[in-house]
């Protein structure tokens, strides 16, 4: 849903702080060009890796619930961007499974702001998101520092 309208997808992210939140060139890993989808995915993963207080502040600015974190991830991983290492793809699969569990019927207690702060499941989401970013950094060559 990269081009959709409404509360989900890129339009929701772009609305935060007048479109500045998460879309600065220097705030995303350069994945070899202007592939907006890859940059958007990295931005959403960085949000998942953020401390709970930062996540809550983001959600409050959008005036949406905690499930928005999972929805944005799902929107951007419906079609996994090309050029990701197998480790990154595995990380995305693990995140997808965990976020699906959090959003499953009977787990509504995990979709509140209190759970975002204290539930071990959300700590696991943050750890998996950090792992993806670390694996991406290893797989993405940096600038030549010679």
């Amino acid at each position: 849903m990269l081009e959709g309208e409404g509360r989900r997808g890129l339009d929701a992210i772009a609305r935060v702080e007048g479109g500045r939140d998460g879309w600065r060139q220097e705030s995303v890993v350069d994945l070899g060009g202007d592939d907006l989808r890859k940059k958007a995915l990295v931005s959403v993963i960085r949000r998942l890796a953020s401390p709970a207080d930062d996540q809550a502040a983001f959600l409050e600015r959008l005036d949406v619930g905690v499930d928005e974190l999972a929805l944005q991830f799902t929107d951007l991983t419906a079609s996994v961007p090309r050029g990701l290492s197998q480790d990154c793809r595995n990380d995305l699969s693990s995140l997808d499974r965990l976020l699906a569990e959090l959003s499953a019927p009977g787990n509504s207690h995990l979709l509140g702001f209190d759970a975002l702060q204290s539930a071990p499941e959300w700590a696991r989401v943050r750890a998996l998101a950090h792992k993806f970013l670390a694996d991406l950094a290893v797989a993405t060559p940096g600038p030549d520092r010679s």
Side-chain angles (χ1 to χ4, degrees):
M1 178 179 192
L2 292 175
E3 297 164 341
E5 294 192 15
R7 292 177 18 182
R8 295 177 24 196
L10 295 180
D11 58 320
I13 296 170
R15 278 198 320 262
V16 177
E17 296 182 1
R20 294 184 309 251
D21 192 39
W23 294 107
R24 294 176 304 273
Q25 177 65 32
E26 65 275 9
S27 71
V28 295
V29 173
D30 181 27
L31 294 171
D34 275 335
D35 188 343
L36 181 59
R37 195 170 65 154
K38 288 179 183 177
K39 290 178 182 181
L41 176 62
V42 170
S43 181
V44 168
I45 299 287
R46 284 185 177 195
R47 176 109 36 246
L48 289 172
S50 297
D53 288 339
D54 293 349
Q55 292 171 332
F58 169 77
L59 296 168
E60 288 170 1
R61 286 192 307 266
L62 284 180
D63 194 26
V64 294
V66 172
D67 63 330
E68 183 67 17
L69 295 171
L71 293 171
Q72 287 181 356
F73 175 84
T74 301
D75 286 347
L76 292 171
T77 57
S79 172
V80 177
R82 290 181 290 205
L84 295 178
S85 70
Q86 190 59 48
D87 285 340
C88 288
R89 290 175 180 278
N90 292 342
D91 297 337
L92 291 177
S93 293
S94 295
L95 267 169
D96 187 49
R97 282 190 301 275
L98 182 53
L99 290 169
E101 289 174 25
L102 291 172
S103 302
N107 284 340
S108 60
H109 64 285
L110 295 173
L111 297 177
F113 283 89
D114 289 340
L116 186 62
Q117 299 281 342
S118 62
E121 293 86 351
W122 281 106
R124 179 76 178 132
V125 166
R126 286 187 278 280
L128 283 170
H130 278 283
K131 183 176 180 327
F132 171 86
L133 294 171
D135 288 341
L136 184 64
V138 167
T140 304
D144 185 15
R145 299 194 197 298
S146 339

